[in-house]
Amino acid sequence: MYHETVQPLVQRNADNINQHYPILKQWAEYLVTDSLLPALQLSTDDFAGHLVNQTNLALKGIIGLEAMSRISRIIGETADADNYTAVAHDYISRWIDLGINKDADPPHAILNYGNENTHGLLYNLYNDRLLNLNLVPQEIYDIQSDFYPTVKENYGVPLDTRNGYTKSDWEIFCAAIVSPETRDMFIKALVTWVSETTNSHPFTDLYETGDGRQPNGIDFKARPVMGGMFALLLLDGDGYTARKRVL
């Protein structure tokens, strides 16, 4: 069975990587230069505005470098693989110092470096678990799991400290990798919002955590990003306890 199904899949992946390796490496080199200290820019949550040194954005790039290391190793580019994983591990150690406020009670990831009184959904942490990279220390998972309940509003946890709204898809990304208790908190808050909202629009990914309304001037409804609701199903069992079991 392995020879007939898995091995051809591995070979097809290798063929695809070889074909596109130059552009993959180009992007990886960009991450080496720009992932740890992101310049003033928009992120995927572009409606929230520009921000420099975004903690969550930096984490995405660093995880991308570790993923590139695995990609390089598949096709025997061992020098690249060793280089990218070394950079990723160096960056993640520095990222923890820059992006986690360990002196807070409780400790938590901050929105951007040096902004100690801020916080946000660290949804890009999900990618470390999804790809089974084990790059980010378990401590960070524990910190965020303990922190989210302390900032929950009526209908969920705000996206970050700049506004009172949240992203339902990103909440589920976070729910997939926290403790069962915090996971259930995220899901129950979202279910409560769906049950109580007076908005007649199709399921939105953006709403106010306090009163459940959609933010003024932002009309999100039934967007493809709602596929994030299935984030828990992509993991091998409970994303939090399964990771602890691996470690």
Side-chain angles (χ1 to χ4, degrees):
M1 177 65 71
Y2 174 83
H3 178 73
E4 293 179 357
T5 59
V6 178
Q7 188 58 37
L9 177 60
V10 171
Q11 186 58 53
R12 288 198 299 272
N13 286 341
D15 292 344
N16 192 45
I17 292 170
N18 274 307
Q19 180 182 354
H20 299 288
Y21 195 72
I23 193 66
L24 290 170
K25 187 170 180 177
Q26 180 178 329
W27 275 110
E29 291 300 321
Y30 168 80
L31 294 178
V32 170
T33 303
D34 291 282
S35 64
L36 179 61
L37 301 171
L40 179 67
Q41 61 186 282
L42 297 173
S43 70
T44 185
D45 304 320
D46 55 359
F47 50 84
H50 293 73
L51 195 64
V52 67
N53 290 332
Q54 297 180 58
T55 301
N56 191 48
L57 181 61
L59 180 61
K60 179 189 287 187
I62 297 167
I63 291 172
L65 280 170
E66 181 65 12
M68 183 61 187
S69 172
R70 307 295 178 91
I71 289 171
S72 299
R73 204 168 298 282
I74 288 174
I75 62 170
E77 294 286 350
T78 55
D80 283 348
D82 292 345
N83 175 55
Y84 291 133
T85 193
V87 173
H89 280 81
D90 173 51
Y91 280 8
I92 201 66
S93 296
R94 294 162 65 183
W95 175 88
I96 291 171
D97 291 336
L98 291 166
I100 304 296
N101 184 352
K102 291 189 175 182
D103 293 329
D105 184 20
H108 57 84
I110 55 182
L111 176 61
N112 62 320
Y113 304 160
N115 211 347
E116 300 300 315
N117 294 322
T118 62
H119 59 77
L121 294 176
L122 198 64
Y123 55 81
N124 283 324
L125 184 58
Y126 176 81
N127 299 304
D128 179 57
R129 179 64 187 92
L130 176 65
L131 300 176
N132 287 317
L133 298 177
N134 295 326
L135 172 68
V136 184
Q138 178 64 36
E139 173 193 18
I140 305 304
Y141 289 81
D142 296 341
I143 282 174
Q144 291 304 110
S145 183
D146 292 341
F147 174 70
Y148 289 134
T150 70
V151 290
K152 174 187 171 293
E153 300 291 344
N154 292 335
Y155 298 111
V157 177
L159 177 63
D160 58 56
T161 41
R162 289 175 290 183
N163 296 281
Y165 53 60
T166 194
K167 288 268 289 155
S168 53
D169 51 335
W170 295 148
E171 286 191 293
I172 297 301
F173 271 51
C174 293
I177 53 173
V178 292
S179 68
E181 295 78 15
T182 304
R183 174 200 64 201
D184 292 348
M185 177 205 75
F186 272 111
I187 295 173
K188 287 178 181 178
L190 187 56
V191 169
T192 301
W193 172 76
V194 171
S195 301
E196 296 182 359
T197 181
T198 58
N199 196 316
S200 61
H201 287 172
F203 205 156
T204 182
D205 56 296
L206 187 70
Y207 64 91
E208 297 285 349
T209 54
D211 60 17
R213 298 178 182 274
Q214 282 190 295
N216 292 331
I218 308 178
D219 188 23
F220 288 174
K221 52 190 176 186
R223 300 203 305 159
V225 299
M226 293 310 295
M229 294 294 103
F230 299 99
L232 287 88
L233 303 181
L234 294 178
L235 302 184
D236 180 18
D238 184 292
Y240 183 77
T241 57
R243 179 181 171 86
K244 284 197 167 184
R245 188 164 58 247
V246 169
L247 297 177

